[in-house]
Amino acid sequence: MTKELAAKLQELADKYEVASFCNEDPSQFLRWYEPVAGRGTIADVEAASFIAAMLAFGNRKQFIPKIREILQTSDRSLGSLSKWLCAGAYKKEFPSGEKKFYRFYSYDDMQIFFGELAEILNENGSLGEFFRLKAEEDFPPLYEIVSSSFPKSAIVPKGRSSANKRVHMYLRWMVRRNSPVDLGLWQWAEPSTLLIPLDVHVMQEAAKLGLIPEKATASRKTAELLTSALNEVFPGDPCRGDFALFGLGVDK
């Protein structure tokens, strides 16, 4: 890592890690509920963010309305996503069946996903509390805990060798602190343990800058390699480099 490249990445992170980043990004749903203003609870924030992360792939113009549809449905019903899930209202108020809801995920897939979310919320009160207790009980990486906690849900990425981009993006949102974008709700987890979410833009720019091999695939190994490189620039907070690379790629 040259001083020039490190300085460039720091400059890019400063440029792109701003509140306006959320305007067209799925991170806009992080603040759908605002507990400080009396609208929703932390449980709502965590669950809404998780649903947003799990559906955040493909074309933004297609998946952002789908995420909004789910949150608006729950709000019209009970004014709260977590209450809607815990009460099982999704079973009647959200369609079921084999018809596709988004891309290759059907309405039945969504019902299974909502069911596992509801089970966690009913037993633990919030996703954060559930994952915190799991982390205390065992010592796998946090992203493995998240993936393994939804064994029936096809929507939640799994696989120890895969990039699991959407899970890592969710964890970035929940764990990174002092950010105008990420929430930093989980003070019990450390930003230094996060892995970069391997978006296409991130991989392309990382390869151009020599941070990963040109023919690198979207795998956990690549995520670890890139995270290690960015930790040299952003010690203890390597995922800040996600803004630099993603922002650069989108602008181009």
Side-chain angles (χ1 to χ4, degrees), residues 94-186:
F94 198 83
S96 59
E98 297 181 358
K99 182 180 177 180
K100 300 304 180 187
F101 171 67
Y102 176 60
R103 298 285 291 269
F104 33 80
Y105 295 140
S106 68
Y107 283 97
D108 280 347
D109 289 328
M110 296 305 299
Q111 287 285 341
I112 292 170
F113 178 47
F114 293 151
E116 290 196 307
L117 272 172
E119 185 176 346
I120 289 173
L121 292 174
N122 275 317
E123 291 182 359
N124 300 273
S126 74
L127 287 175
E129 180 63 8
F130 174 75
F131 295 136
R132 184 187 68 80
L133 293 173
K134 282 282 188 179
E136 287 181 354
E137 292 171 4
D138 208 345
F139 300 98
L142 186 52
Y143 61 85
E144 288 188 8
I145 292 175
V146 173
S147 292
S148 64
S149 297
F150 295 85
K152 300 176 184 177
S153 297
I155 292 170
V156 181
K158 301 172 182 67
R160 293 189 175 185
S161 62
S162 60
N164 291 348
K165 173 239 175 182
R166 287 171 281 156
V167 170
H168 292 303
M169 182 170 66
Y170 178 67
L171 292 176
R172 196 201 82 200
W173 291 347
M174 295 296 106
V175 175
R176 284 193 70 249
R177 300 153 196 168
N178 305 314
S179 169
V181 178
D182 302 327
L183 295 177
L185 295 177
W186 298 353

Side-chain angles (χ1 to χ4, degrees), residues 1 9 191-196 198 210-212 220-239 241 245:
M1 178 76 67
L9 289 169
S192 60
T193 63
L194 299 175
L195 289 180
I196 295 290
L198 288 184
L211 299 173
I212 59 174
R220 187 179 72 172
K221 182 178 179 180
T222 301
E224 290 173 341
L225 179 64
L226 180 54
T227 302
S228 179
L230 290 171
N231 195 54
E232 295 180 34
V233 186
F234 309 101
D237 188 20
C239 279
L245 297 172

